[in-house]
Amino acid sequence: MLSLQTERQVPRKVVLVGNPNVGKSAVFSRLTSRYVTISNYPGTTVDLFRGRARIQGRDYEFVDTPGIQALHSQSEDEQVTSDVLRNEKPDLILQVADGKNLRRTLLLTAQLSKLKRPLVLALNMKDECDERGIQIDAQALSKRIGVPVVQTTAITGDGFPEIVDHLDSKEFCSLNGHPPSEWVEEILQAVRTEDEGEERWTETKTNLLSAAVVLGALVHLENYLGAWLGLPTLYGLLGNWLQPSETLAGSAREAVRLVIAYLLPVLLPFLFALRSDSRFNERFGIWARKFSTGIPILVVALSVVYQMVGNLGAQILVDILENGVFAGYLTPLLRALVPAGLVHDFLLGEYGAISVGLTYGIAIVLPVVASFFIAFSFLEDSGYLPRLAVLSDRLFRLMGLNGKAFLPMILGLGCVTMATMTTRILNSKKERLIATVLLALGVPCSAQLGVILGIITGISPLATAIIFGTVLLQLFVVGLIFSRILPGKRSDFVLELPPIRYPHWKNIAQKTGLRVKWFLKEALPLFVLGTVILFVLDRLSLLGFLVAGVQPIVTGLLELPSKTATVFFLGFLRRDYGAAGLFDMARNGLLTTQQIVVSLTVMTLFVPCIANFFIVIREQGLRNAFLITAFISGYAIAVGALLNMAINFVGLVL
Amino acid sequence: MTGEPGVSLTELRTGDKARLVSMNPEVELRLFGFGLFPGIEIELLQRFPSYIIRCERTEVALETSVASQVRVTVVR
C-alpha cells in the first residue's frame, strides 16, 4: 500500500491561540472539519480540543485552546492554554485575533514571540472590519512583525487558502517580547485607516424591528396580566379596545394578536438572521446592559424562551410524539406483536423499557430539550448573555460570586454538567466551589426545566410562583451562607462584552444537532437503565422494601403518594427523569396542586444526574463531590418538608 | 486626594473621554490583557450597574472597586 512506502511522518502540531471570543473554534472547525461549539461570549471553550487533518499531503494536528488575555494566566481555563504552549512545543502557533482590536492583538503577539516558536497571525472577523470601514494593511503589518499575516472570516471561509499556504511557515516573530507601548502606536498608524462605517439598513427598518419587539412584548404582557388578574378585570381596566368580539373587525384583531403572540417569537430569529445594520445591534447592545432598559428586555427574552419551550416544545411537540407516535402507534403495535409474559413486561409493562424509559426520554424530554437548545443557541450566539452578567453582578456579589458567574449559571439551564466545567472561567477556588454547588442545587437543566414548564402550565400562577420563588430563594440563601463560611475571597468583576451579532442559522442548527445527539447518547441510556433497574427490583419484590424504607419521608414528611418514591429514585439517576415521572403522575390526576408544588420543588433542588456527579468529582475532587451530594439531598428534602408545613400552616389553597 | 496625577475613573461622567494615567498594580495585569495601558484613550459608557468603558473596539465591564483603582485625565 502507498502509505507503507511513504515515510511515516509525525504530524505538524499547530496550536491556535488568541484573546477570548475571537473565533479560534470557528477557525479550528474549518481546518479540521470537526465541529466544536462556537458561541458569542468569552469562555465558550474551557478545555483543549485536538483534531487531525491531512492538508495538501501533509498531516497536521490542530489544538484549539481556551482564550487568553495574556500569557501570565488568571483563571484555570487560561492556565490550560499557557501549559500547552510551554509544554508541547508546537511546530506553529496560529494566533487568531479580532481584526477590530489590533492593539490587544499585538500585545499578545509580543508575548507569544517570547516562546520562540514559528508564528502566523490570522486577523479574523474581516467581515466585521469591512462593515465598520476598518482597513488593515496586512502586508505592511507582516513586514513589521516578521511573520505572515492573513485576514480571514472563519464563518465563511474567506482567507483560508492563505492560512493553509502558511501552515509550514518557519518565521519567527521579530517583536521578541518588546514592550509594546513604543512601537504599537506607530504600527497602528501605519497599517490602518478607520471610519465609522456606512449604515446598511435604513432608519425605518431599524424602527420597524424595534416596533415589532415592543408589540410582541405588549401582547405577552397582556397574557401574563390576564392570567394574573383574570381577563375580565384586565379588560375592565383597559376598556374594551382589547376585548375579543364577535364582529369581523374583532376577529381580525384577535387573529393579528395571535399571530404576534405566537409567531413573532418564532419568526424573530429569522428576522434577525437577515443581514442588518450594525447600528441596531449596537443600540440593542446598549439597551441590554442598562438597568432601565435591560430588565424589560430580559422579561421579553424570558417570555420568548418560555413560548418556545413551554408551548411549542412541552405542549405541542410532546403531544404529537407521545399521544400521536408512542401511545397512538408504537405501543399498540408492539403490544400486538409481543405475547404476554416476561418479555412483554420487560418492554411494555409498568416499568417497561419502551413504555416508560423510551417514552419518557424521546416523547417527553427530547422535544423539550431540542426546542430549548434552539432558543438557547440563539441567545448564546447573539452576545446577549454577557450583558446579563453586567445586570446581575451586584446580586451575585452577595453570594460571594461576581457577574461572571452568571455565565455558568445560565449555561446550567442548558446542561448542568457542561456548565460545571464552565465554572473554570471563574478566577478563585471559592467561586468555583460555590458556583458548582448552586448549579447542582437549584439550576434546572433544559430537560428538567422543560418538564417543569409542561407541568406548571396546568396549575395556578400562584403555585408556579411558589415553586420558582422557593428555588431561587434557596440559591440565594445557600450562596449567602457558603460565601460567609468558606475561606478565600471572591475576585473582582472584569468582563469583556462582545458585540451583538446576528446568529448564523447554520451554527445554531449545528450546535443544536450536536447537543441533541449528546442528549440521546448520554441521557437516553440512563433513562432505559433506570427503568430496567426498577423492573428488576420490582420482579425481585425489592422495590416494595425500598419504597417502604423511604415511606416516612415521602408520605409522612412530604405528604406525597407512595408512588412518588419510585419517581424520586429515578431522580437519583437524572432529575429530569424524575420530573418526567412527576409530569406523568400529574397528568393522570395522581397529584394535588400542593403535592405538585412540593414534589417539583424537591425534585428541582435534588442532585442533577450521574454525569454531573462525575464531572463534579473531576473538577472538585471525590471528597467535595460526596459532601456536595449529601448536602443537597438532605437540603432538598428539608426544604420540601418546610414548604409543605408552611402551606399547611397558612392554610393556603392552591 | 492621594496626590497622584489625574482623577479616579469613578469620577467621570457617562460619555466622558479620558486618557489612562495609571493603575493600581493589583488590577494592572488584568487590564493590560484588554489593551488597557497608560496613554490609551477610553470612553466611559455606563456607570450603573457596572462601569463600562470602551477602548478601541473593546467594551469592558468593571465593578466599582476595580474602576476606583484606575486613574485617568479627562480629555473632553
Side-chain angles (χ1 to χ4, degrees):
Chain A
M1 273 170 54
L2 198 69
S3 60
L4 287 175
Q5 290 160 2
T6 51
E7 201 183 322
R8 188 93 198 98
Q9 47 164 255
V10 184
R12 220 173 126 74
K13 188 177 284 182
V14 180
V15 177
L16 281 69
V17 185
N19 290 124
N21 212 33
V22 295
K24 291 174 293 298
S25 297
V27 171
F28 176 84
S29 290
R30 205 158 261 286
L31 286 170
T32 58
S33 316
R34 185 185 155 193
Y35 182 77
V36 283
T37 308
I38 302 164
S39 301
N40 184 16
Y41 58 84
T44 305
T45 309
V46 292
D47 212 343
L48 297 175
F49 281 95
R50 292 167 195 274
R52 296 230 170 160
R54 198 177 175 85
I55 300 170
Q56 293 175 354
R58 265 197 89 121
D59 285 324
Y60 293 93
E61 181 189 354
F62 294 98
V63 186
D64 188 19
T65 62
I68 51 171
Q69 300 293 1
L71 266 186
H72 41 261
S73 57
Q74 296 287 329
S75 51
E76 212 167 294
D77 56 331
E78 295 185 44
Q79 186 69 44
V80 170
T81 305
S82 307
D83 288 350
V84 156
L85 289 171
R86 296 217 162 84
N87 303 338
E88 296 201 13
K89 298 251 181 281
D91 296 303
L92 180 75
I93 296 175
L94 177 56
Q95 186 191 348
V96 183
D98 177 355
K100 305 193 298 301
N101 282 304
L102 261 191
R103 189 179 280 114
R104 283 173 74 182
T105 301
L106 292 172
L107 176 74
L108 187 59
T109 313
Q111 292 192 330
L112 290 172
S113 70
K114 279 192 257 185
L115 297 170
K116 304 260 187 271
R117 309 304 307 169
L119 191 131
V120 169
L121 175 59
L123 297 175
N124 197 25
M125 304 187 189
K126 182 171 184 296
D127 53 343
E128 289 191 349
C129 290
D130 291 345
E131 224 170 86
R132 289 165 173 75
I134 300 171
Q135 288 174 340
I136 301 168
D137 186 344
Q139 277 185 335
L141 181 58
S142 169
K143 212 175 264 171
R144 183 65 185 76
I145 63 175
V147 294
V149 177
V150 182
Q151 285 190 278
T152 58
T153 307
I155 217 88
T156 61
D158 187 20
F160 274 69
E162 285 95 320
I163 291 193
V164 168
D165 285 345
H166 293 300
L167 281 179
D168 293 327
S169 168
K170 303 254 182 327
E171 307 286 350
F172 288 80
C173 179
S174 58
L175 291 176
N176 240 335
H178 268 295
S181 47
E182 300 147 25
W183 48 263
V184 101
E185 300 307 320
E186 169 206 338
I187 292 183
L188 290 178
Q189 291 300 320
V191 300
R192 70 193 289 186
T193 56
E194 182 178 334
D195 55 80
E196 281 306 304
E198 80 231 64
E199 302 301 335
R200 288 223 185 146
W201 261 29
T202 58
E203 186 82 4
T204 342
K205 281 182 186 164
T206 306
N207 289 341
L208 264 177
L209 203 55
S210 327
V213 174
V214 172
L215 212 59
L218 281 177
V219 175
H220 282 295
L221 203 63
E222 184 206 340
N223 287 345
Y224 292 127
L225 287 177
W228 193 264
L229 300 168
L231 278 177
T233 324
L234 180 67
Y235 292 139
L237 286 172
L238 290 175
N240 57 4
W241 185 84
L242 282 164
Q243 184 114 39
S245 75
E246 295 303 314
T247 64
L248 194 63
S251 6
R253 210 156 53 209
E254 184 69 4
V256 169
R257 201 162 54 181
L258 275 177
V259 168
I260 294 171
Y262 292 98
L263 280 182
L264 199 71
V266 183
L267 286 182
L268 213 56
F270 296 100
L271 258 171
F272 270 92
L274 299 170
R275 294 292 307 162
S276 174
D277 73 331
S278 47
R279 195 162 55 173
F280 177 78
N281 287 355
E282 224 163 87
R283 232 182 264 170
F284 182 81
I286 295 169
W287 293 336
R289 62 166 157 71
K290 267 188 169 163
F291 197 74
S292 52
T293 42
I295 299 295
I297 289 179
L298 175 62
V299 172
V300 174
L302 285 178
S303 84
V304 169
V305 173
Y306 174 78
Q307 290 293 339
M308 280 280 296
V309 182
N311 276 341
L312 185 74
Q315 303 292 316
I316 301 172
L317 292 179
V318 167
D319 196 49
I320 293 173
L321 276 171
E322 204 198 1
N323 296 334
V325 179
F326 272 79
Y329 295 97
L330 206 60
T331 321
L333 183 74
L334 286 170
R335 286 228 160 94
L337 287 176
V338 183
L342 189 67
V343 179
H344 178 274
D345 289 352
F346 179 75
L347 292 175
L348 301 160
E350 196 187 348
Y351 303 107
I354 292 175
S355 59
V356 176
L358 275 188
T359 309
Y360 279 11
I362 292 183
I364 297 182
V365 181
L366 180 66
V368 163
V369 177
S371 48
F372 182 84
F373 284 158
I374 295 174
F376 197 70
S377 302
F378 185 81
L379 287 180
E380 276 188 330
D381 289 12
S382 66
Y384 176 55
L385 300 180
R387 266 114 187 136
L388 291 180
V390 170
L391 290 183
S392 59
D393 176 48
R394 280 163 194 267
L395 190 67
F396 276 106
R397 276 193 237 165
L398 293 173
M399 298 188 257
L401 299 164
N402 70 48
K404 232 173 155 180
F406 180 81
L407 283 170
M409 289 299 152
I410 192 93
L411 291 177
L413 293 177
C415 169
V416 174
T417 308
M418 290 183 182
T420 304
M421 284 174 67
T422 309
T423 57
R424 288 185 193 176
I425 66 168
L426 304 179
N427 294 44
S428 81
K429 251 197 162 110
K430 175 179 177 176
E431 287 167 304
R432 283 198 293 277
L433 182 59
I434 294 179
T436 305
V437 171
L438 295 186
L439 274 170
L441 178 72
V443 180
C445 70
S446 55
Q448 197 192 6
L449 191 67
V451 183
I452 295 174
L453 291 181
I455 303 178
I456 61 172
T457 42
I459 60 178
S460 66
L462 177 63
T464 308
I466 291 179
I467 297 173
F468 282 112
T470 310
V471 172
L472 282 175
L473 185 69
Q474 299 325 310
L475 284 180
F476 193 72
V477 168
V478 170
L480 202 71
I481 295 172
F482 272 52
S483 73
R484 297 289 183 281
I485 58 172
L486 288 176
K489 261 173 62 177
R490 81 172 175 86
S491 61
D492 299 321
F493 177 58
V494 180
L495 183 71
E496 180 177 357
L497 304 180
I500 295 284
R501 297 192 173 112
Y502 294 103
H504 268 250
W505 67 268
K506 204 177 143 197
N507 189 47
I508 291 186
Q510 262 177 328
K511 198 151 56 165
T512 306
L514 192 80
R515 286 170 175 172
V516 165
K517 222 163 82 189
W518 180 87
F519 173 81
L520 291 177
K521 221 177 78 193
E522 299 286 323
L524 207 57
L526 277 179
F527 278 41
V528 177
L529 178 74
T531 324
V532 171
I533 294 176
L534 278 188
F535 175 79
V536 173
L537 288 176
D538 186 42
R539 280 283 144 158
L540 299 175
S541 312
L542 288 173
L543 197 59
F545 283 113
L546 218 66
V547 170
V550 291
Q551 199 85 335
I553 295 176
V554 174
T555 55
L557 207 54
L558 299 174
E559 298 183 329
L560 298 170
S562 58
K563 188 176 191 289
T564 331
T566 49
V567 172
F568 278 137
F569 172 77
L570 295 177
F572 260 117
L573 286 173
R574 281 185 65 89
R575 60 181 174 188
D576 50 328
Y577 191 10
L582 293 177
F583 183 53
D584 210 23
M585 288 177 70
R587 269 192 323 182
N588 292 323
L590 297 174
L591 297 171
T592 65
T593 306
Q594 182 172 343
Q595 286 174 331
I596 291 178
V597 169
V598 172
S599 60
L600 258 190
T601 306
V602 175
M603 191 58 81
T604 308
L605 292 174
F606 224 47
V607 281
C609 64
I610 299 259
N612 182 65
F613 181 64
F614 285 126
I615 289 289
V616 174
I617 293 179
R618 205 180 87 184
E619 300 287 317
Q620 296 284 345
L622 202 60
R623 184 173 153 270
N624 274 359
F626 273 108
L627 284 177
I628 290 172
T629 305
F631 165 74
I632 288 175
S633 309
Y635 194 83
I637 292 167
V639 169
L642 279 177
L643 180 64
N644 190 46
M645 277 192 261
I647 295 175
N648 285 341
F649 184 73
V650 181
L652 207 57
V653 181
L654 293 167
Chain B
M1 298 208 314
T2 43
E4 281 178 68
V7 296
S8 158
L9 183 60
T10 50
E11 284 167 52
L12 295 186
R13 276 168 310 184
T14 308
D16 278 353
K17 290 192 172 139
R19 206 168 278 286
L20 292 187
V21 178
S22 64
M23 290 159 244
N24 197 320
E26 250 177 70
V27 297
E28 199 173 51
L29 281 183
R30 297 187 65 186
L31 297 184
F32 278 2
F34 294 104
L36 297 166
F37 359 61
I40 297 291
E41 193 178 300
I42 56 124
E43 185 184 347
L44 184 69
L45 301 177
Q46 176 177 318
R47 293 172 55 95
F48 183 84
S50 302
Y51 284 82
I52 294 180
I53 56 175
R54 174 163 51 204
C55 134
E56 248 190 349
R57 291 281 171 178
T58 307
E59 281 183 25
V60 185
L62 312 166
E63 71 172 273
T64 318
S65 66
V66 179
S68 65
Q69 298 182 56
V70 178
R71 300 198 69 81
V72 297
T73 49
V74 183
V75 174
R76 184 190 61 86

